[in-house]
Amino acid sequence: MPCGLYSPFFLRLARVSLAENPVWTPLVTFLGLVTCSVPLLLKADLLKALSAFAKSRDIASTLWYYVEMAQVIPTAPSTSKFPQRGIHTDLEEVESRSEEYPVSRGFLELLNALVEVDVPLHLGAPNRTPGIDPYVKFVVESVLMKSHSRAYKKSSDKWQICELAVKFLHKLLMRYEPAVGDIQHRERDAPQQPGYSVLVAMLQDSPLLKMILYLIEESVRHFDEYVDFPERKACERTALSCLNIFNRCIQMQEIFLEMVRSEGSSLRVTSLGTLLLGVNQRTNRPDHMLKIAKFVSYGSEYMPDHAVEAASILAFVASIPSAQQQLLALFTEEPNDVIIRHGIVEILDDAFENEEQGRKVKLCLLKMLQQGVNLPHPSLVHFLLGFSIQKPLQKSQLQNPGVYGTPKNCLHSLLNILDENLKGLVDAAVVMEGYKLLHVILSHGTMSYPVLRFLKGNLRNFLVRHGEALPFSASPTMEQQNSTAHLLLCIAIDIRVSSLRGSTSQAQKLASVIFTSERTVDIADGEAGQRRDAGISNLLSRTFASITGMPFVSRPRVLALLDSVDVSQLAVPIPELELFDLGQLQSLLKECEMPSEDGGPSVVNVRHLQRRVERELSALEGTMALAQRQAIMQEFKIILKYSIEANGVKQQMWTRRCFIDSWRQLIETILLSTTNYSNDILVQIIQEVLRKCVQDSASQELNQPLCGLLVIAVTSLRVQAMKKQESELTDSLVAFLDERRTDLLSEIGMSPSALRVILKGIVEWILKTGPSAQRIRINLYTALIGCLRLSAVNPSRDSRGLGGGITAGLQAIGVETVLEYGDSFLSALFRDSASGHDVQRMLALSLLDTIISQAPIGPVASYAAKHGYIRHLLDILSGLDESLISLVCQELSVMAMKYLQLYSSIMSFFTRMAMTSRGSQLLLDCNLLGRLSEMNAFSHRPQAGTVDEYAFLSSPFHRFQEILFPAFSLCLAMLSGLGSEHRIIREQVLGFLLAHSETISSILRSGQTLNDLHHLEELSLLTNVISKATNIGIFPEVIHKGADGTNEIRDQIERLQTICLSLLPAYVPTDVAIDRVLRFSGVEDDPNSNIARHKATSMYLQVCLNLLNIVMNMTADGTRIYSRTVFTASFTMADFGAAFTGTRPQTTRSVALGVVVNIISAAAKRLKTTEVARDTLSRKLEVVESLPVDEINQFVSKMISEGSSISEKREAARQTLTKVVESQVVEITQCRFILEVSLVLLWKHMEAFVSTNDTMNASRLNISFDASFRFKEDITHYLDETFYKQVEEASKVSGTAGKPDDFNLLFIRRIRKITQG
């Protein structure tokens, strides 16, 4: 049959019509002739005609069985006495003799056509083992393996036969998907899928692998001659098919090897990378990869498809860490180093005629470079990028091509590609991978510095130029968004590295590029038309326009970048199917998902899905299934389309997420690393973020990184405002002591209306997100707390009443704006405080704390009481009891600390509520202190041990203090909130103390031997609580008589008071006593501990004051205020011989009145010296800018003193001096109060002791008549003129406006009168 007769068979209709003609039956006829003794050329044409028929799927299935039945190749055993003949016989006996192979080529074409369309899994059953392995064996063993040993009249015949054979094997591999069943069937000698045997052979050191490598080597040998030869086209196609086989095996080998390992199969297979690095038996060198890599150098002009495949193989092998030394040795020897590197650089630089081919090969090479950057040095990629392989990476000197003989490398090509992108001359996908490679290089710990130095010096500040080109488009594609994301990360890295290395000019320059104006926007006509949504979006737009006052505003580049991304949620509607179950469909799509190679989202492998469904359809049986086949195929097409669209949506959402995250990281880096930005731009960024995120269509996935940026921006605003405020307040002593009301908003130039808009945006965003979006709400709560605190002065200063307060108008703006949302906002806030993630609960409680601190407690308290949230929080608090006990008594884990943090948050919220009378009353009604009395955690006080200051987890003793201190603070807040006239609160506080009496007694007893500042703070809080709660003389109804007439509660209270009285001699505020406490508490006398020493001194004075107040309460007897004496009539420190008599319980030790005298003297002396020290430091604070360096170093730490500039030292000294002066003001106040209480106590006791005239009065006052007589004789000796003069001088210091303290002078006169009388 002439060759021209079968060309119409390519038409589908013609093929089907001829094949199904019952008269002609061409398939059977042609195969019959092929098995007969006819001329070889006729057989070849018949086989080619059959290959044309095989292009139709319906015909191919039938033709496979006809070929099997005709035994064109003997596949089944025969009972005939004559040997089986077929094409195999023609090949061995006829074609080999004639040195022409038309039949073999025709049969290979037929097999390629059949495999292209369909491969029946059960071919040959039941006569033999099912499958097409006999045909594969024929092609491999009879055709391909012997092709190089046969003679050919035409040299092109050899390459044509090899081309068809290798293409057949490649098609089998392309149809094969690794399955566990194939390995199991091998063990049972059952049929495997087509392509299994080929994959196994390629993963072994088999003859097939050697033959493929031989074909690669032969083709390279021909191509290296750079001479045209007749069989060139066939040789190129053969080499391409060989490279395709390698790539397909690389794609499948990881899954296949994992299956072999998991099944425990005896099959021996090896990674293809290891085999390609093996020794070439022909050259005795491991040069297989060198042969493959040479195809890359051919690619730009001759064989771009080969370059793509070879680059993929090279990328795979180059990613193996253990192969780097071998590849370097192979590619760096002359002349290979020039050939390979030059070939790769040439491909990256050249423009291909076929743009698609050029794009593929460039993408492959760029991905290869990305994979190899992070490999251990030295590696092949480091060599290709131009880094030294003999020296460390950070010591590499990168130069432009030609400078000092520097050859052009891949880094030069990469930067050329990115520069060309600024002109719009490069494919977007290539640019995306280029920026990604640059980002990977700059992210490397040791490669970044030399590259950044090269970019700044040799390339005219590369990153600045590219930053100025942003955004690349107003409506960017996915590739452009990815490119922009990687460029933003590169700029962020440069800013961070420059700031750390002291190159502030480069960091400021990059920051100014991002924050400067990029384009002009018409808000009235352009963006305003897109911002007409109701709610906060419209409000933000109008506010921004009103602030500027112009219809045309300059748009900063950072905001233009944000404008270019859409944060709307994308979704593909689920198709409506009648024959497929949606649940099973979703499961199938989940099974077909595969992870992305570049770390992106998992997408559905559409090809794998198609094969799965086709396999299920081919297994359908029955009339009904066959009748619905067409409908099934239609729905199957809908499913494939849905999968493709869903993949596209996932990729697009992932790209947007990466862009937004990069934008966020850049801004955060600028805010944390530089100061070259205005507060106005921060306000604009916050407003734009809120405008985008509060839209109804906004995606929570995209909102998540933006809400994190919101926290950083608000925090930066607050930090800037506080710095400006602190610098203003420390300019002079007058400014420091001034009590003008200042606010943070005025410091940053932010209007109240802008703050109101931001607060509305945050609250609406909170209400828009559901309870499941816990991470978003965590960040939003943090940002809202920061915004509310923008209207307040420094809390640390305000808490002590030193300078400033909260501006009432601004405070009202913040809180009123938040509370405008009423119950909906409070409901979300209280619900999050009671349930959800622990961090979310703590921040919700902190936000409630902030709201209560700046607004009347009414709305919050009413809502909490009405809906039972207070009682619910109390239940949570009670439920934490066992967890808190385990924190103190057992080994601590990091995860267990969340219970302590949650407890602290709840107690802090309750303490804030208790600062008002209404809040205290509400907590009192809910029996808060009763719940605390029932908790056993307060009764498990551990022994204090050695403390490691640098330990990550605190000691059990410190953890117990973190549990106890909030309870003491709460008691003090409730006592202050309800006032001294409230009987019930004092009863409940006393009940709490007595319920844990062992702990309280242990703390008081340990007051004699203090170990550290934590013990001192513990004693200070406890004595403060006792001093405010034990004034029994005012409330005698607190005492309840028992059945036997005893006062049970009074006895316990007086036991605590007696212990406190015994502590008083240990807390006389003399310099020696305070220095002893500082020495034993670990506060060393060095400049770094100035603040700690003053803190310890203040706590010591506070303990002394609290003890004096307790003693003052003890002087009340229930009938006449302050009528009882508690000290012995002696001026010595202690009188061991005296004992209490009468109704008071006896003690083994009584305290002499001389303790009070010593306290008065010590307090007067410290008051005077502290005032002098404060005046001195205040003067230094005024002139801190002119102080000498030696004096500045006295107020800074050693670390700052050694490694900081003079301006930084002065700023640190200013801060230290400010805090020290504040501490000294507190100490002066404490000493004044100590002096006042001590004088009152001294006067009352002296009046009682001196007025004792008979034995009866002496007995009533708990002293003997003789002791009273001796006391009168000692008065003039201890209370001399020196004592009075010292107190009078201290009274002048403690007064205001230079006037003496009249209160102290009054009691001095009374004491003088008693002494002289």
Side-chain angles (χ1 to χ4, degrees):
M1 180 181 293
C3 295
L5 294 179
Y6 57 81
S7 58
F9 295 156
F10 287 93
L11 298 175
R12 180 179 180 278
L13 183 59
R15 291 196 298 266
V16 173
S17 299
L18 288 175
E20 295 180 353
N21 192 305
V23 178
W24 295 341
T25 61
L27 301 181
V28 178
T29 303
F30 289 178
L31 283 173
L33 290 173
V34 168
T35 57
C36 296
S37 180
V38 296
L40 294 180
L41 293 178
L42 178 58
K43 283 187 178 183
D45 288 339
L46 291 170
L47 291 170
K48 291 179 180 179
L50 289 172
S51 64
F53 275 112
K55 294 182 181 296
S56 296
R57 178 175 297 275
D58 297 335
I59 300 175
S61 300
T62 305
L63 188 55
W64 266 115
Y65 288 99
Y66 286 164
V67 171
E68 178 68 22
M69 291 172 60
Q71 290 290 291
V72 177
I73 292 178
T75 59
S78 173
T79 59
S80 175
K81 294 186 287 185
F82 301 99
Q84 292 179 310
R85 304 182 64 84
I87 292 180
H88 180 272
T89 305
D90 292 338
L91 173 62
E92 296 294 340
E93 297 181 3
V94 181
E95 290 182 325
S96 296
R97 190 181 303 117
S98 64
E99 299 181 358
E100 293 180 340
Y101 306 89
V103 177
S104 299
R105 290 202 306 271
F107 186 64
L108 290 173
E109 289 182 9
L110 174 60
L111 290 178
N112 275 281
L114 290 171
V115 172
E116 184 75 27
V117 178
D118 185 29
V119 179
L121 184 60
H122 300 285
L123 182 65
N127 300 323
R128 62 176 178 84
T129 303
I132 65 168
D133 283 348
Y135 301 92
V136 177
K137 183 178 180 180
F138 168 75
V139 172
V140 173
E141 296 181 358
S142 300
V143 178
L144 186 60
M145 300 301 297
K146 297 180 179 180
S147 61
H148 66 286
S149 61
R150 291 194 173 101
Y152 299 91
K153 279 186 178 181
K154 298 179 180 178
S155 57
S156 60
D157 287 352
K158 171 186 175 181
W159 289 105
Q160 290 174 1
I161 290 177
C162 291
E163 173 197 351
L164 292 171
V166 175
K167 188 181 294 185
F168 170 73
L169 299 177
H170 176 240
K171 289 180 179 180
L172 289 178
L173 288 173
M174 292 301 295
R175 296 188 63 87
Y176 177 65
E177 293 291 341
V180 177
D182 294 331
I183 302 174
Q184 296 173 346
H185 291 164
R186 175 183 176 274
E187 304 296 335
R188 301 193 300 265
D189 197 20
Q192 293 93 12
Q193 293 187 55
Y196 167 79
S197 59
V198 181
L199 178 61
V200 171
M202 291 299 297
L203 297 180
Q204 296 174 341
D205 191 16
S206 62
L208 176 60
L209 175 64
K210 295 176 180 178
M211 187 62 195
I212 299 296
L213 292 172
Y214 168 75
L215 293 176
I216 293 286
E217 184 177 357
E218 282 294 300
S219 60
V220 168
R221 183 177 62 82
H222 285 293
F223 297 147
D224 279 347
E225 295 175 358
Y226 292 96
V227 177
D228 196 11
F229 52 98
E231 62 273 15
R232 175 184 169 185
K233 293 297 181 182
C235 182
E236 290 179 0
R237 291 193 294 268
T238 302
L240 180 60
S241 295
C242 292
L243 296 174
N244 287 333
I245 287 176
F246 283 134
N247 270 316
R248 180 57 182 165
C249 292
I250 290 172
Q251 294 171 8
M252 295 187 295
Q253 72 167 4
E254 184 176 353
I255 300 175
F256 187 77
L257 292 175
E258 180 61 30
M259 288 180 180
V260 172
R261 286 191 292 265
S262 61
E263 290 297 317
S265 174
S266 59
L267 182 64
R268 298 296 182 89
V269 287
T270 308
S271 172
L272 187 59
T274 304
L275 296 173
L276 292 177
L277 292 171
V279 176
N280 186 347
Q281 295 181 356
R282 295 176 181 82
T283 60
N284 289 325
R285 297 177 59 225
D287 58 357
H288 293 308
M289 285 307 304
L290 181 61
K291 310 297 183 185
I292 294 175
K294 284 191 175 181
F295 282 99
V296 179
S297 62
Y298 304 150
S300 60
E301 297 182 6
Y302 304 106
M303 293 172 281
D305 291 331
H306 297 68
V308 173
E309 301 298 328
S312 298
I313 300 171
L314 182 60
F316 166 71
V317 178
S319 65
I320 303 175
S322 59
Q324 298 308 307
Q325 296 296 332
Q326 184 175 339
L327 290 176
L328 277 175
L330 186 64
F331 289 166
T332 55
E333 64 180 7
E334 296 181 356
N336 298 331
D337 57 341
V338 178
I339 296 174
I340 301 301
R341 182 168 57 191
H342 177 72
I344 296 176
V345 169
E346 190 177 34
I347 285 182
L348 293 175
D349 287 341
D350 289 356
F352 286 68
E353 295 182 1
N354 188 328
E355 294 182 359
E356 181 64 21
Q357 291 177 335
R359 185 180 70 89
K360 287 182 179 179
V361 67
K362 288 182 180 180
L363 289 177
C364 188
L365 289 175
L366 290 173
K367 290 180 180 179
M368 178 192 73
L369 296 174
Q370 293 170 16
Q371 295 172 359
V373 167
N374 292 314
L375 290 175
H377 179 72
S379 70
L380 175 62
V381 171
H382 298 157
F383 164 72
L384 296 176
L385 289 172
F387 289 87
S388 174
I389 59 176
Q390 286 83 24
K391 297 186 296 184
L393 287 173
Q394 61 269 25
K395 294 185 178 180
S396 298
Q397 297 292 330
L398 302 177
Q399 301 291 344
N400 285 326
V403 177
Y404 300 115
T406 302
K408 191 171 185 179
N409 53 54
C410 294
L411 181 60
H412 299 137
S413 300
L414 168 65
L415 300 178
N416 289 339
I417 290 174
L418 299 181
D419 279 337
E420 290 294 320
N421 173 61
L422 301 183
K423 306 174 185 178
L425 303 178
V426 187
D427 182 80
V430 175
V431 173
M432 178 187 72
E433 295 298 332
Y435 278 118
K436 184 177 180 181
L437 174 58
L438 182 60
H439 172 221
V440 173
I441 293 174
L442 295 183
S443 300
H444 194 276
T446 53
M447 294 176 66
S448 59
Y449 182 64
V451 174
L452 286 173
R453 185 175 56 209
F454 177 68
L455 295 179
K456 285 182 284 189
N458 298 52
L459 295 176
R460 297 179 291 110
N461 218 328
F462 178 89
L463 291 178
V464 172
R465 290 189 291 109
H466 283 249
E468 291 173 346
L470 292 173
F472 295 136
S473 174
S475 300
T477 62
M478 290 176 57
E479 291 81 4
Q480 288 175 330
Q481 284 185 344
N482 279 322
S483 300
T484 305
H486 292 299
L487 176 57
L488 294 179
L489 291 175
C490 292
I491 296 175
I493 293 172
D494 195 1
I495 291 174
R496 186 61 178 165
V497 172
S498 299
S499 63
L500 291 177
R501 291 183 175 269
S503 179
T504 56
S505 60
Q506 174 69 7
Q508 303 285 8
K509 187 181 299 183
L510 288 169
S512 63
V513 167
I514 298 300
F515 283 158
T516 52
S517 300
E518 179 270 337
R519 57 192 174 96
T520 300
V521 180
D522 184 357
I523 283 195
D525 300 328
E527 294 193 3
Q530 302 174 3
R531 301 183 184 181
R532 291 172 182 167
D533 299 333
I536 191 63
S537 300
N538 190 24
L539 180 61
L540 284 169
S541 302
R542 289 187 283 104
T543 301
F544 183 75
S546 64
I547 292 174
T548 59
M550 298 183 297
F552 292 92
V553 295
S554 181
R555 195 70 167 160
R557 181 172 284 105
V558 64
L559 299 182
L561 288 169
L562 185 61
D563 291 338
S564 65
V565 62
D566 186 8
V567 297
S568 300
Q569 178 66 49
L570 299 179
V572 180
I574 299 177
E576 297 180 359
L577 304 175
E578 297 180 358
L579 302 177
F580 286 87
D581 180 71
L582 290 179
Q584 295 181 356
L585 175 60
Q586 294 296 336
S587 300
L588 178 61
L589 294 178
K590 193 70 176 177
E591 293 175 3
C592 294
E593 284 186 354
M594 58 176 294
S596 178
E597 295 180 356
D598 56 355
S602 298
V603 294
V604 177
N605 188 338
V606 180
R607 184 175 179 180
H608 182 56
L609 173 64
Q610 181 178 2
R611 289 178 179 172
R612 284 280 301 270
V613 176
E614 286 179 352
R615 198 178 305 129
E616 295 294 334
L617 291 177
S618 63
L620 289 177
E621 297 180 356
T623 307
M624 183 65 68
L626 295 176
Q628 294 182 341
R629 186 178 184 86
Q630 189 65 25
I632 293 174
M633 293 301 298
Q634 290 297 328
E635 289 198 354
F636 175 50
K637 292 180 181 179
I638 296 175
I639 293 173
L640 292 179
K641 182 180 178 181
Y642 168 75
S643 302
I644 295 173
E645 292 177 353
N647 288 344
V649 168
K650 282 186 178 181
Q651 292 286 358
Q652 193 167 358
M653 292 298 293
W654 176 262
T655 300
R656 293 180 181 180
R657 171 67 184 267
C658 293
F659 178 89
I660 291 176
D661 197 54
S662 302
W663 183 81
R664 172 191 63 82
Q665 291 185 46
L666 174 60
I667 296 178
E668 290 179 358
T669 303
I670 293 175
L671 297 181
L672 298 175
S673 302
T674 68
T675 58
N676 187 27
Y677 59 87
S678 65
N679 294 321
D680 293 338
I681 192 67
L682 286 184
V683 175
Q684 293 181 44
I685 290 173
I686 294 172
Q687 290 180 341
E688 286 300 312
V689 168
L690 291 173
R691 181 184 66 83
K692 277 185 170 290
C693 294
V694 298
Q695 299 173 3
D696 294 335
S697 60
S699 167
Q700 287 192 4
E701 180 185 0
L702 302 181
N703 285 355
Q704 187 170 318
L706 289 176
C707 67
L709 171 65
L710 200 64
V711 176
I712 300 297
V714 171
T715 304
S716 298
L717 280 176
R718 189 162 180 265
V719 169
Q720 290 294 326
M722 294 178 69
K723 284 183 178 179
K724 291 183 179 180
Q725 192 178 63
E726 288 294 331
S727 63
E728 291 177 1
L729 290 175
T730 54
D731 283 342
S732 64
L733 177 63
V734 176
F736 172 72
L737 297 177
D738 189 12
E739 295 188 359
R740 293 174 298 174
R741 296 182 176 269
T742 58
D743 63 273
L744 296 182
L745 290 183
S746 62
E747 301 295 340
I748 60 176
M750 184 178 179
S751 65
S753 60
L755 175 63
R756 184 180 180 87
V757 170
I758 291 174
L759 289 172
K760 279 182 170 290
I762 296 176
V763 174
E764 288 194 9
W765 194 354
I766 291 173
L767 297 178
K768 175 179 171 292
T769 57
S772 59
Q774 297 185 10
R775 182 172 296 182
I776 294 179
R777 283 201 169 184
I778 286 172
N779 288 320
L780 292 179
Y781 285 151
T782 307
L784 187 55
I785 292 171
C787 287
L788 289 176
R789 290 178 179 174
L790 275 174
S791 60
V793 298
N794 190 336
S796 63
R797 295 174 56 81
D798 182 61
S799 62
R800 292 189 295 267
L802 303 173
I806 301 177
T807 303
L810 292 174
Q811 176 185 356
I813 288 175
V815 179
E816 288 177 3
T817 303
V818 171
L819 295 180
E820 281 179 4
Y821 292 87
D823 290 353
S824 59
F825 176 68
L826 291 177
S827 175
L829 198 54
F830 274 107
R831 186 170 57 247
D832 287 343
S833 68
S835 61
H837 193 277
D838 295 313
V839 177
Q840 176 180 289
R841 295 164 70 180
M842 288 184 280
L843 286 171
L845 290 167
S846 179
L847 179 55
L848 286 169
D849 187 334
T850 304
I851 293 174
I852 293 175
S853 67
Q854 297 186 12
I857 195 176
V860 178
S862 299
Y863 187 87
K866 179 180 178 181
H867 294 83
Y869 282 108
I870 299 299
R871 295 190 182 276
H872 184 66
L873 289 175
L874 289 176
D875 293 337
I876 295 175
L877 201 62
S878 299
L880 292 174
D881 191 25
E882 294 296 330
S883 301
L884 295 177
I885 293 175
S886 65
L887 283 174
V888 177
C889 301
Q890 300 177 7
E891 289 293 331
L892 177 65
S893 64
V894 178
M895 293 299 296
M897 289 295 292
K898 65 180 182 181
Y899 302 116
L900 182 58
Q901 299 299 327
L902 181 58
Y903 164 81
S904 300
S905 299
I906 296 175
M907 294 295 288
S908 176
F909 169 64
F910 286 156
T911 303
R912 179 66 68 178
M913 283 190 64
M915 290 180 180
T916 62
S917 59
R918 183 172 181 179
S920 295
Q921 188 61 51
L922 177 61
L923 296 177
L924 193 64
D925 295 340
C926 293
N927 194 27
L928 170 59
L929 291 176
R931 291 288 190 97
L932 294 179
S933 300
E934 296 171 358
M935 293 179 63
N936 296 321
F938 300 109
S939 300
H940 289 75
R941 184 175 186 263
Q943 294 295 327
T946 303
V947 179
D948 184 4
E949 295 290 340
Y950 302 98
F952 178 72
L953 298 176
S954 57
S955 64
F957 180 75
H958 286 178
R959 294 198 294 272
F960 174 78
Q961 289 186 328
E962 292 178 16
I963 298 172
L964 185 64
F965 286 179
F968 285 162
S969 299
L970 178 61
C971 292
L972 292 172
M974 294 185 71
L975 288 168
S976 300
L978 291 175
S980 59
E981 301 297 327
H982 202 285
R983 176 180 60 84
I984 299 178
I985 183 59
R986 291 184 179 272
E987 286 185 351
Q988 293 204 7
V989 170
L990 288 173
F992 169 72
L993 294 177
L994 298 179
H996 309 288
S997 57
E998 293 185 5
T999 298
I1000 303 303
S1001 301
S1002 175
I1003 296 173
L1004 293 176
R1005 293 191 190 98
S1006 65
Q1008 295 285 357
T1009 56
L1010 292 176
N1011 295 325
D1012 56 18
L1013 295 180
H1014 299 282
H1015 285 80
L1016 191 62
E1017 185 178 5
E1018 186 180 51
L1019 185 62
S1020 174
L1021 284 172
L1022 176 58
T1023 53
N1024 199 2
V1025 174
I1026 296 175
S1027 68
K1028 288 180 170 57
T1030 57
N1031 195 346
I1032 304 175
I1034 297 178
F1035 302 109
E1037 59 270 24
V1038 172
I1039 309 303
H1040 300 287
K1041 292 186 177 181
D1044 54 354
T1046 59
N1047 296 326
E1048 299 176 358
I1049 297 180
R1050 182 188 182 103
D1051 292 342
Q1052 297 183 57
I1053 293 174
E1054 290 193 349
R1055 182 172 59 87
L1056 296 179
Q1057 290 178 328
T1058 304
I1059 298 175
C1060 293
L1061 176 61
S1062 66
L1063 286 176
L1064 189 59
Y1067 288 90
V1068 177
T1070 61
D1071 293 339
V1072 175
I1074 292 178
D1075 290 341
R1076 177 180 59 84
V1077 172
L1078 296 178
R1079 184 172 63 256
F1080 283 105
S1081 61
V1083 179
E1084 299 178 358
D1085 190 15
D1086 64 80
N1088 195 28
S1089 62
N1090 278 320
I1091 300 173
R1093 286 188 287 112
H1094 284 284
K1095 179 181 178 181
T1097 303
S1098 178
M1099 285 191 293
Y1100 184 91
L1101 295 175
Q1102 186 64 43
V1103 171
C1104 178
L1105 179 60
N1106 294 337
L1107 293 174
L1108 288 172
N1109 287 329
I1110 294 172
V1111 173
M1112 182 68 75
N1113 294 337
M1114 293 174 64
T1115 60
D1117 61 357
T1119 58
R1120 192 159 65 93
I1121 298 178
Y1122 306 125
S1123 60
R1124 180 187 301 167
T1125 60
V1126 295
F1127 295 102
T1128 59
S1130 173
F1131 285 103
T1132 58
M1133 289 296 290
D1135 185 359
F1136 292 94
F1140 290 111
T1141 60
T1143 59
R1144 294 188 55 82
Q1146 290 191 355
T1147 179
T1148 58
R1149 181 178 183 183
S1150 299
V1151 181
L1153 187 60
V1155 173
V1156 179
V1157 176
N1158 289 339
I1159 290 175
I1160 293 174
S1161 299
K1165 180 180 178 181
R1166 176 158 290 274
L1167 184 61
K1168 187 176 180 180
T1169 56
T1170 305
E1171 177 65 21
V1172 173
R1174 190 196 70 167
D1175 292 340
T1176 303
L1177 293 180
S1178 298
R1179 287 192 294 270
K1180 290 185 178 181
L1181 184 61
E1182 290 179 352
V1183 296
V1184 67
E1185 297 296 334
S1186 59
L1187 289 178
V1189 178
D1190 294 339
E1191 197 165 351
I1192 287 292
N1193 290 333
Q1194 297 177 6
F1195 301 101
V1196 298
S1197 63
K1198 294 180 179 179
M1199 182 176 62
I1200 297 178
S1201 177
E1202 294 174 358
S1204 302
S1205 62
I1206 184 62
S1207 60
E1208 293 175 342
K1209 292 180 182 179
R1210 292 188 186 278
E1211 181 61 29
R1214 181 197 300 273
Q1215 295 177 4
T1216 301
L1217 284 170
T1218 301
K1219 293 178 180 179
V1220 170
V1221 171
E1222 290 179 357
S1223 300
Q1224 289 175 338
V1225 172
V1226 175
E1227 292 176 21
I1228 291 173
T1229 304
Q1230 291 171 331
C1231 289
R1232 186 177 72 245
F1233 287 142
I1234 290 173
L1235 197 60
E1236 292 175 358
V1237 177
S1238 301
L1239 287 173
V1240 173
L1241 284 173
L1242 179 61
W1243 169 69
K1244 295 301 294 182
H1245 280 76
M1246 287 185 62
E1247 185 182 40
F1249 294 152
V1250 172
S1251 62
T1252 303
N1253 298 322
D1254 52 25
T1255 306
M1256 183 177 297
N1257 289 335
S1259 176
R1260 184 178 60 83
L1261 296 174
N1262 302 324
I1263 62 173
S1264 64
F1265 181 79
D1266 294 337
S1268 176
F1269 182 77
R1270 289 195 304 270
F1271 178 79
K1272 294 176 184 179
E1273 292 180 346
D1274 293 339
I1275 287 178
T1276 56
H1277 177 70
Y1278 288 97
L1279 301 182
D1280 54 5
E1281 287 300 322
T1282 304
F1283 172 80
Y1284 294 127
K1285 184 178 180 181
Q1286 186 180 27
V1287 176
E1288 288 173 355
E1289 291 178 354
S1291 299
K1292 294 179 182 179
V1293 174
S1294 63
T1296 58
K1299 298 180 180 180
D1301 192 336
D1302 295 335
F1303 182 86
N1304 292 345
L1305 295 179
L1306 172 64
F1307 280 95
I1308 286 295
R1309 287 194 297 270
R1310 291 185 178 183
I1311 294 172
R1312 278 180 180 271
K1313 183 178 180 180
I1314 294 172
T1315 304
Q1316 295 172 359

